[in-house]
Amino acid sequence: MKLFVVIVFGVFASFALTILSEQILFSSMATSVRLLFPEFPVVALTVGVLVGLLVREKARVAAALSLAPWSVWLIVASNGSHSTVSRWVTTIAVVSVCFALGVGAAAFVGGRMARSAARGGRSPS
């Protein structure tokens, strides 16, 4: 049950953080054209860390299931009106890297938290 709640929380957090970061970036930008989307790796890393903190043993699975709807939405929404193959491939590659960063962050944090709990919460001296 806890895993399901964390996955739902991760899905909600990924979309909410994306909306929030887009609002912040677009409100702070004047009229220049934005070429990079630095918020996508940050969103994936943040969701991965949160999931890793909440679920230690199955952090990779929870992060992957949390970020999957977000990743599919990014790919489809970015390419909805464009049908060029190169744009689809580029978008899939960028989103896959962000997805991998999020799952990796969850695995790293979940593993560190599990080792810390196994030692009894003591800090290494």
Side-chain angles (χ1 to χ4, degrees), residues 3-4 6-7 14 28 33 40 44 52 59 62 64 66 70 73 76 80 97 102 105 109 116:
L3 183 64
F4 177 75
V6 170
I7 291 170
S14 63
S28 65
V33 177
F40 296 147
S66 295
W70 176 76
W73 174 78
V76 172
V97 168
V109 171
S116 175

Side-chain angles (χ1 to χ4, degrees), residues 13 16 41 44 87 113 118:
R87 182 168 173 124
M113 295 297 292

Side-chain angles (χ1 to χ4, degrees), residues 30-109:
T31 58
S32 61
V33 177
R34 210 173 80 168
L35 298 176
L36 296 174
F37 298 97
E39 71 273 12
F40 296 147
V42 172
V43 168
L45 285 170
T46 304
V47 170
V49 167
L50 289 173
V51 167
L53 287 172
L54 296 174
V55 179
R56 295 177 187 131
E57 294 82 25
K58 298 187 182 221
R60 284 180 279 185
V61 172
L65 292 174
S66 295
L67 290 170
W70 176 76
S71 299
V72 170
W73 174 78
L74 281 178
I75 293 168
V76 172
S78 298
N79 297 310
S81 62
H82 304 284
S83 60
T84 61
V85 175
S86 63
R87 182 168 173 124
W88 278 91
V89 170
T90 303
T91 306
I92 290 170
V94 169
V95 171
S96 296
V97 168
C98 294
F99 182 84
L101 283 172
V103 173
F108 178 74
V109 171

